[in-house]
Amino acid sequence: MSAILKTVTPTSHDLGGFTVRRAVPSKEARMVGPFVFIDQFGPARLDPGTGMDVRPHPHINLSTVTWLFGGEYAGAIDHRDSLGTFSTIRPGTVNLMTAGSGIVHSERSPAEERARGPAMYGMQTWLALPDGKEEIDPAFEAVSDLPVIEGDGAKAHIIMGDLWGARASTTTHAETIYAEIMLEAGGSIPIDAQADERALMLVGGEAQVDGTKLEPYALVLLKPGAVLTLSSEKGGRAMLMGGEAFATKRHVWWNFVSSDRERINQAKEDWREGRFPKVPGDDKECIPLPTGTPNTVSNP
């Protein structure tokens, strides 16, 4: 019997020079563990003199997780937020921004990246905060001392949680697993079975899970408790993600996530009326509240 519960084909968006593929939220998958938003972008290289400019925008009741891939398309992103944080995101370091009661941030290509043509290749995910922790204080951390597991032609960076007998120091508010797996030709690695919900996404090369071929960028939801092996004949790169199943559903509208629809309505009004804090060093512009239905909506 197949170990795959469901395969989600992401929705692709052309953002002018690079493609973003959104698998969650979708009709097929509202969440995978605490992951309530899963975007994969690139690989791409923008023209010299151009760059990515995501103007200041707000979040509530979630954590954002940014992870960039190394290799030919290794790039960087400058992060600024309303806590006063400035951090340049690079491959090998996970940026975790916890919005909690409310935060504003921007993401832009660094000047040196713009000069040579920014490389874009990585993952942007959101984790819903669990019941009782949705309104915690905003926080930010960049963690680079992540465990690396190697053997059998595989190398895995543990970004969050417990995997393969090691634990990342990255903060988790709900039980979470998140890892980048690199497979050499003929390489393989077991997929730990402890998490309530698990998913794989092939983001480069080719790979199979227990002999079933993975389609590029599709999100593959795995059967709970199944002991599986990820392998590759020619080499590949895949993301493993998941964690505890949430008993209370989450509503998503634009950049806001909450178990309470009225909390999202309040956040809309607060952003419209300018009641969110500003981003030091990037306070001259912002993304306005959408007037129609935004791209990111689930359980409206």
Side-chain angles (χ1 to χ4, degrees):
M1 295 178 64
S2 174
I4 296 175
L5 283 177
K6 186 183 298 184
T7 298
V8 180
T9 301
T11 301
S12 295
H13 302 279
D14 185 351
L15 297 189
F18 69 101
T19 298
V20 174
R21 303 168 184 91
R22 180 162 301 158
V24 173
S26 64
K27 291 180 179 178
E28 295 83 6
R30 300 298 191 186
M31 295 179 71
V32 180
F35 287 81
V36 74
F37 175 97
I38 299 171
D39 266 11
Q40 187 280 328
F41 55 88
R45 186 172 295 278
L46 306 185
D47 292 335
T50 65
M52 180 188 75
D53 285 293
V54 181
R55 295 167 291 161
H57 58 281
H59 291 286
I60 63 164
N61 293 189
L62 59 85
S63 294
T64 67
V65 185
T66 307
W67 179 257
L68 300 181
F69 300 139
E72 178 184 358
Y73 291 95
I77 299 172
D78 280 346
H79 162 98
R80 287 181 170 87
D81 64 41
S82 52
L83 298 175
T85 305
F86 173 77
S87 177
T88 299
I89 309 169
R90 301 186 189 279
T93 297
V94 57
N95 265 34
L96 175 71
M97 185 188 75
T98 298
S101 58
I103 201 168
V104 180
H105 75 135
S106 64
E107 297 161 297
R108 300 181 185 271
S109 296
E112 66 271 19
E113 287 281 309
R114 294 174 188 269
R116 62 175 175 258
M120 306 293 297
Y121 194 20
M123 302 290 297
Q124 177 72 247
T125 57
W126 300 351
L127 303 176
L129 292 173
D131 293 350
K133 294 185 178 181
E134 290 183 282
E135 297 289 339
I136 60 176
D137 291 338
F140 176 86
E141 62 188 63
V143 182
S144 56
D145 58 338
L146 299 169
V148 178
I149 307 301
E150 295 187 79
D152 296 326
K155 181 178 181 179
H157 282 86
I158 303 174
I159 302 168
M160 301 181 79
D162 285 297
L163 285 164
W164 304 292
R167 182 174 181 86
S169 61
T170 315
T171 299
T172 55
H173 297 288
E175 287 300 318
T176 306
I177 57 169
Y178 196 24
E180 177 190 0
I181 301 169
M182 295 289 294
L183 295 168
E184 300 174 1
S188 66
I189 190 170
I191 300 301
D192 284 9
Q194 293 91 332
D196 292 343
E197 297 177 349
R198 299 170 297 165
L200 285 166
M201 179 183 284
L202 179 68
V203 295
E206 61 83 26
Q208 307 84 38
V209 59
D210 273 23
T212 300
K213 181 180 178 181
L214 301 181
E215 296 300 323
Y217 309 115
L219 185 72
V220 175
L221 278 62
L222 306 176
K223 284 186 177 179
V227 179
L228 308 170
T229 299
L230 180 70
S231 61
S232 178
E233 295 179 359
K234 300 178 181 178
R237 185 197 306 260
M239 300 301 293
L240 170 65
M241 64 201 83
E244 68 175 91
F246 275 37
T248 307
K249 72 178 181 180
R250 290 299 183 267
H251 308 286
V252 182
W253 192 92
W254 192 42
N255 299 315
F256 305 135
V257 171
S258 182
S259 61
D260 182 359
R261 286 193 182 95
E262 288 309 311
R263 179 67 181 92
I264 290 178
N265 289 334
Q266 181 63 58
K268 293 180 189 179
E269 183 66 17
D270 288 344
W271 184 245
R272 187 184 294 114
E273 298 300 321
R275 291 193 284 262
F276 275 85
K278 301 291 186 181
V279 176
D282 196 350
D283 58 357
K284 305 303 182 186
E285 57 181 352
C286 67
I287 300 176
L289 190 77
T291 55
T293 301
N295 285 334
T296 308
V297 178
S298 75
N299 297 323

